Amino acid sequence: MWVLEVQQSVFDRQYQRLFKKESLVDADWISPICMFVLLVIGIAFIYSAQLSYGGGSWKRQIFWMVAGGGIYVALAITDYRILLSKAHWIFLAALTLLALVHTPLGVTQMGATRWINVGITNYQPSEAAKISVLIMVASVLARSKFGGINDSLIVLAKVAIVVCVPASLIATQPDLGTTLAMPPMIFAMLFASNLNRRFFVGTSVVVALVSAVVGLDIYRYHNFLEDRGITAWENAKVHGSLYEKESKLPLRDYQRNRIYGFIAPDAADPHGSQITYNAKQSFITVGIGGLMGKGWLEGTQAKLGYLPRTVAHNDFIFSIIGEETGFIGGLIILGIFTILIANGFRIAALARDHFGTLLCVGVSTLFLVHVFINVGMTVGLAPVTGLPLPFLSYGGSFVLSCCILQGLIQSVYRHRKNYS
């Protein structure tokens, strides 16, 4: 009887800890409100983008919103510090999923093998990889002490291994956008770890050197095309990527074309009908919206097929929003994202342990990168990389990933008083 009473007492304490009345009051409501608003807006404009041909992606997006909301709540009430001891298992699980892409379970779409068939749907393992890298790097940094230069180099070596292994697997799919989204996240987490500032100076030099090498490669690519009298599209599609076979860089010609099309669009695609078509049509679509937009469901670029139906509801959803809500609508969307991201950094400052701070900094930086690149590519300020817009772009894997990441931030906020 005494044992039963003790067990009941323990259960009552755990129940009260998770579900006590003030737990809801103590939750951060800024992020979930922003998430909900963005998800609803996304569903509305996914519907609008596919209106002309009756696409049903908006219905599936509702399902993913509900599923993601459930995962968000589950993570919010779970103590995030559990992840500190489980990080390596999460990392290994993500690597396993990435490896499955190259098995019979792998699914190829539009020339890329980035998904695995899980029965009811296809799942994109690179989303799980981003989350696992975030958690694993945060775990490594939270457990490490930065003393002398040798200690710092050992920590950096561990972080490099954690990042490079999944990044190399993602690059083989290929998925350049996801690969490029991780370095800024890691850089921000290292900055939050009070790493020696000389590291950041060295990193800046490396970035400058890599940029110079890529720039030189693009210049040689330009000369290569001129010497043979072919366009970038003909090189990639007609002649079987001739330059890719000669270049010593691990870039695919279609990736090279995206950079080339951004730097020199007129030279890369004089008529704007091939490799720069999506980018130019997106720029036109946003411009047509003017100040106030045409109104919801009144957009014509996607309906008439100028903005291809394969990208209008996912990578270029901001273009649809810009056409139908105008400059004002675009500013409102950016304002909501600003609140969401700034709130993540605010919670990072409130966290009572280094692990929680690193998680929030990493998540917020990752969202900032996605928003900056996606919006930038729709208005011609960044090359087209295929990075979707959080909560707005269609995609089950990505919606779940965004909900998981924001759930981690909510967990850090809710459990911030549990540790001194």
Side-chain angles (χ1 to χ4, degrees):
M1 181 65 70
W2 178 79
V3 174
L4 291 176
E5 290 177 353
V6 171
Q7 289 177 340
Q8 182 65 35
S9 176
V10 171
F11 175 80
D12 290 342
R13 287 198 300 271
Q14 292 297 326
Y15 180 86
Q16 292 173 4
R17 181 181 177 186
L18 290 176
F19 300 105
K20 59 185 180 178
K21 182 178 179 181
E22 60 265 31
S23 65
L24 292 177
V25 177
D26 193 45
D28 167 65
W29 288 101
I30 298 176
S31 293
I33 290 174
C34 290
M35 288 170 54
F36 180 76
V37 171
L38 289 170
L39 282 166
V40 171
I41 292 174
I43 291 169
F45 285 96
I46 290 171
Y47 173 78
S48 178
Q50 297 185 326
L51 184 62
S52 62
Y53 58 94
S57 296
W58 65 276
K59 297 178 183 178
R60 292 188 290 273
Q61 192 79 339
I62 293 176
F63 169 80
W64 293 119
M65 179 180 75
V66 174
I71 295 175
Y72 174 85
V73 173
L75 284 172
I77 64 176
T78 302
D79 191 337
Y80 68 94
R81 286 175 64 92
I82 294 175
L83 300 174
L84 191 59
S85 60
K86 307 296 183 183
H88 57 293
W89 293 114
I90 297 172
F91 184 69
L92 289 174
L95 292 181
T96 301
L97 289 176
L98 284 175
L100 288 177
V101 169
H102 301 289
T103 70
L105 292 176
V107 177
T108 301
Q109 297 178 4
M110 295 180 289
T113 307
R114 303 174 184 170
W115 301 266
I116 55 175
N117 189 332
V118 293
I120 60 174
T121 187
N122 294 330
Y123 180 72
Q124 189 170 357
S126 60
E127 294 299 332
K130 287 192 297 187
I131 298 172
S132 71
V133 168
L134 165 72
I135 295 173
M136 190 65 189
V137 171
S139 175
V140 170
L141 295 178
R143 294 169 181 271
S144 302
K145 292 183 179 180
F146 296 96
I149 187 67
N150 290 333
D151 294 333
S152 297
L153 290 176
I154 291 173
V155 174
L156 289 175
K158 293 178 180 178
V159 171
I161 293 173
V162 170
V163 176
C164 291
V165 173
S168 60
L169 290 174
I170 294 172
T172 61
Q173 296 177 359
D175 188 355
L176 181 62
T178 301
T179 305
L180 294 178
M182 287 195 288
M185 175 184 74
I186 303 304
F187 190 86
M189 295 170 72
L190 289 171
F191 187 82
S193 297
N194 295 320
L195 193 64
N196 192 299
R197 295 297 180 264
R198 286 180 293 179
F199 163 77
F200 298 101
V201 174
T203 302
S204 300
V205 173
V206 172
V207 171
L209 290 175
V210 171
S211 300
V213 171
V214 173
L216 179 61
D217 182 74
I218 296 298
Y219 175 73
R220 290 176 175 174
Y221 183 52
H222 171 76
N223 292 336
F224 174 88
L225 297 176
E226 283 197 338
D227 291 343
R228 284 160 178 76
I230 59 176
T231 66
W233 182 86
E234 289 172 338
N235 170 66
K237 298 296 183 180
V238 179
H239 300 288
S241 299
L242 292 176
Y243 185 78
E244 183 178 312
K245 300 172 184 177
E246 294 186 7
S247 175
K248 296 181 180 180
L249 294 186
L251 284 176
R252 303 288 181 87
D253 272 351
Y254 86 90
Q255 297 167 338
R256 190 174 280 106
N257 286 342
R258 289 179 176 180
I259 302 173
Y260 184 43
F262 173 71
I263 296 176
D266 293 334
D269 187 6
H271 303 291
S273 59
Q274 296 169 344
I275 64 175
T276 65
Y277 179 81
N278 287 353
K280 289 186 176 181
Q281 290 302 320
S282 172
F283 187 78
I284 292 171
T285 302
V286 174
I288 287 176
L291 182 62
M292 302 297 293
K294 295 180 177 180
W296 184 52
L297 304 181
E298 298 300 323
T300 57
Q301 290 296 100
K303 292 177 183 177
L304 297 176
Y306 293 110
L307 193 62
R309 64 176 59 179
T310 55
V311 298
H313 64 296
N314 44 53
D315 292 350
F316 289 94
I317 190 67
F318 189 79
S319 305
I320 303 298
I321 296 173
E323 182 185 15
E324 298 186 0
T325 66
F327 180 74
I328 299 299
L331 280 183
I332 292 174
I333 295 296
L334 292 178
I336 297 173
F337 275 122
T338 299
I339 294 172
L340 179 68
I341 295 169
N343 188 59
F345 285 116
R346 178 183 72 89
I347 295 175
L350 295 175
R352 293 302 179 90
D353 69 322
H354 195 43
F355 183 60
T357 297
L358 291 172
L359 286 178
C360 293
V361 168
V363 170
S364 301
T365 303
L366 187 60
F367 270 71
L368 179 61
V369 171
H370 269 266
V371 173
F372 179 82
I373 293 181
N374 182 275
V375 175
M377 74 181 189
T378 62
V379 297
L381 296 179
V384 176
T385 58
L387 279 183
L389 194 56
F391 301 117
L392 293 178
S393 295
Y394 170 74
S397 303
F398 186 58
V399 169
L400 293 181
S401 175
C402 290
C403 290
I404 290 171
L405 291 169
Q406 288 298 323
L408 294 177
I409 290 183
Q410 183 68 257
S411 178
V412 172
Y413 184 83
R414 289 189 68 256
H415 294 90
R416 71 193 185 285
K417 296 181 180 179
N418 294 343
Y419 310 98
S420 56

